[in-house]
């Protein structure tokens, strides 16, 4: 069985190809049952949640993403979400790969968002507002820049240092970006 690291997962899933693949997959006949949620009591902290997310296609492999959400990990300096994706042979069921779940999740989530933008955003959209500075944020920016000619990124986050760091990393490699210094919410909702 092949072990696929976070770096290998990231390098294998470039956004232009991943967005196209998701478009095809979303239109296909894959079976994606409702995910299983199991609460796991954690003495002295918020309960953890085990998520089991299977998917298969009659003519393709079977896979299941196994994720544990552990809110108490923030106090440990660890990600709250940890997991793996198990890919099995379509004929024999033999395990073929164990893929890093965190990287697979952020790449897929960002690509699905970019696919939505592909259909819903103006073709000449060149500005992007990134709300949030967590693990998904740089992947969202990269994914949207793969489907639109993004030249300017504004970043808003609760933590100004994280917004500065994300803006610097994006500017150094791609396009102009800057953190937003506003303390006001981006949207106050309907009036």
């Amino acid at each position: 069985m092949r072990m696929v690291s976070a770096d290998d997962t990231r390098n294998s899933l470039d956004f232009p190809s991943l967005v196209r693949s998701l478009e095809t997959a979303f239109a296909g006949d894959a079976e994606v049952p409702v995910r299983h949620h199991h609460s796991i009591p954690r003495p002295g902290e918020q309960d953890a949640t085990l998520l089991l997310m299977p998917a298969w296609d009659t003519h393709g492999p079977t896979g299941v993403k196994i994720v544990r959400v552990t809110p108490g990990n923030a106090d440990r300096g660890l990600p709250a979400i940890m997991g793996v994706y198990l890919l099995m042979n379509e004929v024999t069921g033999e395990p073929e790969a164990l893929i890093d779940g965190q990287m697979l999740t952020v790449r897929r989530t960002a690509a699905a968002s970019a696919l939505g933008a592909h259909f819903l955003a103006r073709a000449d959209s060149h500005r992007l507002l990134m709300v949030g500075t967590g693990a998904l944020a740089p992947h969202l920016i990269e994914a949207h820049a793969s489907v639109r000619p993004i030249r300017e990124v504004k970043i808003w986050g609760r933590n100004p240092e994280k917004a500065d760091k994300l803006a610097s990393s994006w500017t150094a490699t791609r396009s102009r970006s800057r953190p937003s210094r506003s303390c006001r919410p981006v949207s106050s909702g309907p009036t």
Side-chain angles (χ1 to χ4, degrees):
M1 176 171 54
R2 181 173 172 215
M3 305 296 277
V4 185
S5 70
D7 286 342
D8 288 342
T9 301
R10 180 186 179 101
N11 294 336
S12 298
L13 298 175
D14 68 280
F15 281 118
S17 299
L18 184 54
V19 170
R20 285 190 304 275
S21 293
L22 280 180
E23 182 177 4
T24 300
F26 288 160
D29 293 328
E31 294 286 333
V32 185
V34 174
R35 66 182 169 192
H36 298 250
H37 289 76
H38 302 279
S39 186
I40 302 172
R42 296 287 312 140
E45 63 185 75
Q46 187 176 345
D47 288 354
T49 304
L50 178 66
L51 303 172
L52 305 173
M53 297 166 266
W56 61 87
D57 184 315
T58 304
H59 305 291
T62 300
V64 62
K65 185 162 65 167
I66 305 166
V67 171
R68 181 168 148 164
V69 181
T70 309
N73 276 355
D75 296 335
R76 297 177 188 95
L78 295 170
I81 301 172
M82 302 243 193
V84 296
Y85 188 89
L86 176 63
L87 185 68
M88 296 172 277
N89 182 279
E90 67 265 21
V91 175
T92 66
E94 179 181 8
E96 293 184 341
L98 195 60
I99 304 168
D100 180 86
Q102 291 95 318
M103 184 59 67
L104 183 65
T105 297
V106 295
R107 298 301 277 185
R108 183 260 181 222
T109 302
S113 177
L115 178 60
H118 170 75
F119 287 108
L120 300 173
R122 289 178 17 187
D124 64 346
S125 297
H126 64 276
R127 290 189 191 112
L128 177 68
L129 171 63
M130 180 69 250
V131 178
T133 59
L136 183 56
H139 300 275
L140 282 165
I141 295 168
E142 184 184 352
H144 281 261
S146 78
V147 298
R148 290 294 176 261
I150 303 298
R151 294 189 305 273
E152 181 181 354
V153 179
K154 259 193 177 178
I155 300 163
W156 183 90
R158 293 175 296 189
N159 182 321
E161 291 80 25
K162 285 184 174 182
D164 285 339
K165 184 178 177 184
L166 181 57
S168 295
S169 68
W170 183 256
T171 302
T173 59
R174 293 160 188 99
S175 63
R176 186 171 67 142
S177 64
R178 65 181 187 270
S180 173
R181 299 286 181 213
S182 174
C183 294
R184 296 179 323 210
V186 174
S187 171
S188 57
T191 56

